[in-house]
Amino acid sequence: MDKIQNIAVGGSRDSDRKSQAQITSITLLNTVCAHQGYFYEWILLRLLRHLCKATARQSIQNNLWARFVTLPSQDRIWTLTLTDKTGPKPEEQDSKMPLVMVHGFGGGVGLWIRNLDALSRSRPVYAFDLLGFGRSSRPSFPSDAAKAEEQFVNSIEQWRQSVGLENMILLGHSLGGYLATSYAIQYPSRVSHLILVDPWGFPERPQIRSQEIQGQATELVKRPSPPRWVKAIISVVSLFNPLAVIRAAGPWGPGLVNRFRPDFKRKFEDLFDDDTMAQYIYHCNAQPPSGEVGFRAMAESLGWAKRPMLQRVPLLPSSMPLTMLYGAQSWVDSSSGDNVVQVRSPARTKVLLINDASHHVYADQPERFNRVVENICNSVN
């Protein structure tokens, strides 16, 4: 296993607090950047300038460890671990069930920047780049949906064993929610509470039927229209890997991200007043495709899974607590959560909507999100 980079944050002296917080915030974004060479140094300089302004309002005060975790397969998983600096004693926090956070498609651990500090005040928090995404290794994935899913799930279990976690509260967003559910089905004894945030791939794709009414075809099955960026990717996903357009754009890639995802700049505008997050998203996905190849194998289209998870929800132990969080303005249909409640024990299954939030609930309403997740974690221990 690679040597752990240990970064301690915070301090007892007020005069040191600001500089230490600045260093930690810079280190956090530094560790999650998935690029090397000139672009890496250029973006790091931008981070230094902008993060120094941002730390007066938001900083990472807690202890942060960043490392690659090497799996038995020799693949490496980029991992962040946070523990509280000023709260419970180390032995008290060690007794708390750790929270493990799994990002969605095309993302990375950097997108949790608004959540890591708050959620690690009472328990250890782990966040990692999924196999094939971010800074993690990029192996080949099979074209079979079941085998691709199994490769993702196996990597999560190997990561758990390598890190040494016995049990965990498992939180997954979007694609991460789909994979977290699959993991919980296969390794139920390891999951104390399953938290799914706007999970992808749950409902079955409706059969589009038409009938003639007064000489006009009327579509019976309707679904909320996805945003423009989703439609744009769907238009090319059948011909290429989902993020091929971003890679093909080369140095214009970040601009393309900004054009189709202007919301990312808005979500983090109090931290960065330019395209820093677009740069991060771009460089997370500018490398050779790997995880997205696995995703393409599992997806019938970006909105639907070949193996819908709703069909397998009954395989979760009825005793396993499950909470599903949706953004009230998300393009993901929250009715899947209602369907999950119907097939599971309502006493063990909750569906919550967070108002004024879209698909990226954790960034749109970070304080509400953090509060809800913290309450869930406290219900475990």
Short mmCIF file of all heavy atoms in Angstrom, two decimals, residues 4-25:
data_model
loop_
_atom_site.label_atom_id
_atom_site.label_comp_id
_atom_site.label_asym_id
_atom_site.label_seq_id
_atom_site.Cartn_x
_atom_site.Cartn_y
_atom_site.Cartn_z
N ILE A 4 0.98 6.90 3.09
CA ILE A 4 -0.11 7.83 3.35
C ILE A 4 0.45 9.24 3.50
O ILE A 4 1.43 9.46 4.19
CB ILE A 4 -0.87 7.44 4.63
CG1 ILE A 4 -1.50 6.06 4.45
CG2 ILE A 4 -1.92 8.48 4.97
CD1 ILE A 4 -2.18 5.57 5.69
N GLN A 5 -0.21 10.18 2.80
CA GLN A 5 0.11 11.59 3.00
C GLN A 5 -0.79 12.11 4.10
O GLN A 5 -2.00 12.12 3.97
CB GLN A 5 -0.12 12.36 1.71
CG GLN A 5 0.14 13.85 1.84
CD GLN A 5 -0.22 14.59 0.57
OE1 GLN A 5 -0.59 13.97 -0.41
NE2 GLN A 5 -0.13 15.91 0.60
N ASN A 6 -0.20 12.55 5.19
CA ASN A 6 -0.96 12.97 6.37
C ASN A 6 -0.89 14.48 6.50
O ASN A 6 0.18 15.05 6.64
CB ASN A 6 -0.37 12.30 7.61
CG ASN A 6 -1.18 12.59 8.85
OD1 ASN A 6 -2.12 13.36 8.82
ND2 ASN A 6 -0.78 11.99 9.95
N ILE A 7 -2.06 15.12 6.44
CA ILE A 7 -2.12 16.57 6.58
C ILE A 7 -2.95 16.90 7.79
O ILE A 7 -4.14 16.62 7.82
CB ILE A 7 -2.72 17.22 5.34
CG1 ILE A 7 -1.97 16.75 4.08
CG2 ILE A 7 -2.67 18.72 5.42
CD1 ILE A 7 -2.80 15.95 3.17
N ALA A 8 -2.38 17.51 8.80
CA ALA A 8 -3.13 17.92 9.99
C ALA A 8 -3.56 19.36 9.81
O ALA A 8 -2.80 20.20 9.35
CB ALA A 8 -2.26 17.78 11.24
N VAL A 9 -4.79 19.63 10.22
CA VAL A 9 -5.35 20.95 10.01
C VAL A 9 -5.82 21.54 11.31
O VAL A 9 -6.23 20.85 12.22
CB VAL A 9 -6.54 20.86 9.04
CG1 VAL A 9 -6.95 22.25 8.62
CG2 VAL A 9 -6.18 20.02 7.86
N GLY A 10 -5.87 22.85 11.37
CA GLY A 10 -6.38 23.52 12.55
C GLY A 10 -5.26 23.83 13.52
O GLY A 10 -4.09 23.67 13.23
N GLY A 11 -5.62 24.27 14.70
CA GLY A 11 -4.61 24.59 15.68
C GLY A 11 -5.21 25.39 16.81
O GLY A 11 -6.30 25.91 16.72
N SER A 12 -4.47 25.51 17.87
CA SER A 12 -4.99 26.20 19.03
C SER A 12 -4.76 27.70 18.96
O SER A 12 -5.40 28.46 19.67
CB SER A 12 -4.35 25.64 20.30
OG SER A 12 -2.94 25.76 20.24
N ARG A 13 -3.84 28.17 18.12
CA ARG A 13 -3.53 29.58 18.05
C ARG A 13 -4.32 30.23 16.93
O ARG A 13 -4.28 29.80 15.79
CB ARG A 13 -2.04 29.79 17.81
CG ARG A 13 -1.17 29.25 18.94
CD ARG A 13 0.30 29.50 18.66
NE ARG A 13 1.14 29.00 19.73
CZ ARG A 13 2.46 29.07 19.71
NH1 ARG A 13 3.09 29.61 18.67
NH2 ARG A 13 3.17 28.57 20.72
N ASP A 14 -5.03 31.30 17.28
CA ASP A 14 -5.83 31.98 16.28
C ASP A 14 -4.97 32.53 15.16
O ASP A 14 -5.40 32.58 14.00
CB ASP A 14 -6.62 33.13 16.92
CG ASP A 14 -7.67 32.62 17.87
OD1 ASP A 14 -8.05 31.44 17.73
OD2 ASP A 14 -8.11 33.39 18.76
N SER A 15 -3.74 32.94 15.48
CA SER A 15 -2.87 33.51 14.46
C SER A 15 -2.49 32.50 13.40
O SER A 15 -2.15 32.84 12.28
CB SER A 15 -1.60 34.07 15.11
OG SER A 15 -0.90 33.02 15.77
N ASP A 16 -2.52 31.21 13.77
CA ASP A 16 -2.15 30.16 12.82
C ASP A 16 -3.33 29.60 12.08
O ASP A 16 -3.18 28.92 11.07
CB ASP A 16 -1.44 29.00 13.55
CG ASP A 16 -0.13 29.44 14.15
OD1 ASP A 16 0.46 30.40 13.64
OD2 ASP A 16 0.29 28.80 15.13
N ARG A 17 -4.55 29.85 12.59
CA ARG A 17 -5.72 29.16 12.06
C ARG A 17 -5.98 29.48 10.59
O ARG A 17 -6.28 28.62 9.80
CB ARG A 17 -6.96 29.52 12.89
CG ARG A 17 -8.19 28.71 12.52
CD ARG A 17 -9.34 29.02 13.47
NE ARG A 17 -8.97 28.69 14.85
CZ ARG A 17 -9.06 27.48 15.36
NH1 ARG A 17 -9.50 26.48 14.61
NH2 ARG A 17 -8.73 27.26 16.61
N LYS A 18 -5.85 30.78 10.24
CA LYS A 18 -6.16 31.17 8.87
C LYS A 18 -5.20 30.53 7.88
O LYS A 18 -5.61 29.97 6.86
CB LYS A 18 -6.13 32.70 8.72
CG LYS A 18 -6.51 33.16 7.33
CD LYS A 18 -6.56 34.67 7.25
CE LYS A 18 -6.93 35.15 5.85
NZ LYS A 18 -6.97 36.61 5.75
N SER A 19 -3.87 30.60 8.18
CA SER A 19 -2.90 30.05 7.25
C SER A 19 -3.03 28.54 7.16
O SER A 19 -2.90 27.96 6.09
CB SER A 19 -1.48 30.42 7.68
OG SER A 19 -1.20 29.90 8.97
N GLN A 20 -3.31 27.88 8.30
CA GLN A 20 -3.48 26.43 8.27
C GLN A 20 -4.72 26.04 7.48
O GLN A 20 -4.71 25.07 6.73
CB GLN A 20 -3.57 25.90 9.70
CG GLN A 20 -2.24 25.98 10.45
CD GLN A 20 -2.40 25.62 11.91
OE1 GLN A 20 -3.44 25.88 12.50
NE2 GLN A 20 -1.37 25.04 12.48
N ALA A 21 -5.81 26.80 7.65
CA ALA A 21 -7.03 26.52 6.90
C ALA A 21 -6.80 26.71 5.41
O ALA A 21 -7.29 25.94 4.59
CB ALA A 21 -8.16 27.42 7.38
N GLN A 22 -6.02 27.74 5.05
CA GLN A 22 -5.72 27.97 3.65
C GLN A 22 -4.94 26.80 3.06
O GLN A 22 -5.24 26.31 1.98
CB GLN A 22 -4.92 29.27 3.50
CG GLN A 22 -5.73 30.53 3.78
CD GLN A 22 -4.86 31.77 3.79
OE1 GLN A 22 -3.63 31.67 3.81
NE2 GLN A 22 -5.48 32.93 3.80
N ILE A 23 -3.93 26.36 3.80
CA ILE A 23 -3.12 25.24 3.32
C ILE A 23 -3.98 24.00 3.13
O ILE A 23 -3.86 23.30 2.14
CB ILE A 23 -1.97 24.95 4.31
CG1 ILE A 23 -0.97 26.11 4.30
CG2 ILE A 23 -1.27 23.64 3.96
CD1 ILE A 23 0.09 26.00 5.38
N THR A 24 -4.89 23.76 4.09
CA THR A 24 -5.71 22.56 4.00
C THR A 24 -6.68 22.62 2.84
O THR A 24 -6.86 21.64 2.12
CB THR A 24 -6.49 22.37 5.31
OG1 THR A 24 -5.56 22.36 6.37
CG2 THR A 24 -7.24 21.06 5.29
N SER A 25 -7.33 23.77 2.64
CA SER A 25 -8.27 23.89 1.52
C SER A 25 -7.54 23.71 0.20
O SER A 25 -8.03 23.06 -0.71
CB SER A 25 -8.97 25.24 1.56
OG SER A 25 -9.78 25.35 2.70
#
